[in-house]
Amino acid sequence: MLKGKHILLGVTGSIAAYKAAVLCRLLRNAGAEVQVVMTATAKQFITPLTMATLSKNPIIVEFFNPENGEWNSHISLGEWADCYVIAPATANTIAKMATGVADNLLLTTYLSARCKTIVAPAMDCDMFAHITTQTNLTTLRNHGVVIADSPAGELASGLTGKGRMAEPEQILDLIAKTLNSEKKKSLQGKHFVVTAGATIEAIDPVRYITNHSTGKMGYAIAKSLAERGAEVTLVTGRTALATPAGVKRVDVLSAADMYRAATEAFATADGAIMCAAVADYTPAKVAEHKIKKSDDDMAIELVRTKDIAAALGAVKGDRLLVGFALESDEGVKSAQSKLKRKNLDFIVLNSLTDKGAGFGVDTNKVTFIDNNGSQSLPLMSKSDVAESIVHKIEQHYAHPTQR
Ligand code: C5P
């Protein structure tokens, strides 16, 4: 979720400092690099050793190392960070941030950091409710700081009310959301069609032929494209998934419906990502009434559906077309011939034999294949695979000559 991101974690002197240790571990597990800055008082609540061990980096408290005079530059810390998270943030630190006081490294770093800052307040309920604290929080909000909502609950003082620090899991989500909304709008002005999910081919009014696709991969791609500013038309078979923010969703049932919707949307699109598991065959006739069973066996005559990817490939010109392939054997060879046959720019190969890849699961292990060769990626979450695919799409536009 936060692979390769640089998170600067500021810890101030509050009982909730123990939750900073949990947040630090969650950040590392999400793939982030973490550097911890503490105030002198924070050290009385949680040891530098704990934070250094969890963050896998020495923690920084002073402007310079008293042992050797080495300077801890708040400027380079601020430049290094993709996000500065101050959790827990005491009323004292919040007040200083709101007024520009810079009497410790945590605060000078705040003033010089160019990245987004997130503050998770932690204090007693009366301090939190005090007009001064609330005014300071409003000032910080107006300055573009994101405030992690403080939930009501039991406080260290024994009182109950608002003021507790948000839970580390909530802060982690907020960091991911904040960094996502900061994503470069690198695909602004582009329109993509994404097909996703399984089609449903009716046999009669009750029965149908379908497959195990859940649509997760296609929805993750639609989300990543939209986050980069692209206009996205998601042509989707039936799924249980929520429509990603900013995405136009067109619901379809059969392969023929998907063909119509996808070709129509592609007419005004810059590219298409064909992620749907489209039925290759459909019943030759749909029975008008429910077919009655008898003691005999029965056969259903199936006819070929149209290949949507190939149809778009035939008219695409220099537009981008990405396909998927799910193979149980001879993956690369077969994907290469599909690449040519359907006129795709690149193909994402999932192997049915790889553990953790394919239908239903949240992870995927894929290989990108294009005319220049192949690139195998490790097992990743589907949202990370989507990010990698969208990154390849960004590169396609950044280096058009390498197509
Ligand atoms: O030929 P195969 O089904 O293996 O090709 C898979 C790729 O083609 C996927 O990108 C899939 O979405 C697309 N496809 C399609 N229409 C079909 C069959 C496959 O768009 N009728």
Side-chain angles (χ1 to χ4, degrees), residues 14 182 195 223 234 295 382:
S14 154
E182 291 281 286
T195 65
K223 177 170 179 277
L234 177 61
D295 290 339
K382 283 191 174 165

Side-chain angles (χ1 to χ4, degrees), residues 91-111:
N92 181 47
T93 291
I94 288 168
K96 288 178 175 180
M97 287 173 76
T99 50
V101 175
D103 61 0
N104 63 36
L105 188 72
L106 183 145
L107 290 163
T108 47
T109 306
Y110 166 63
L111 287 178

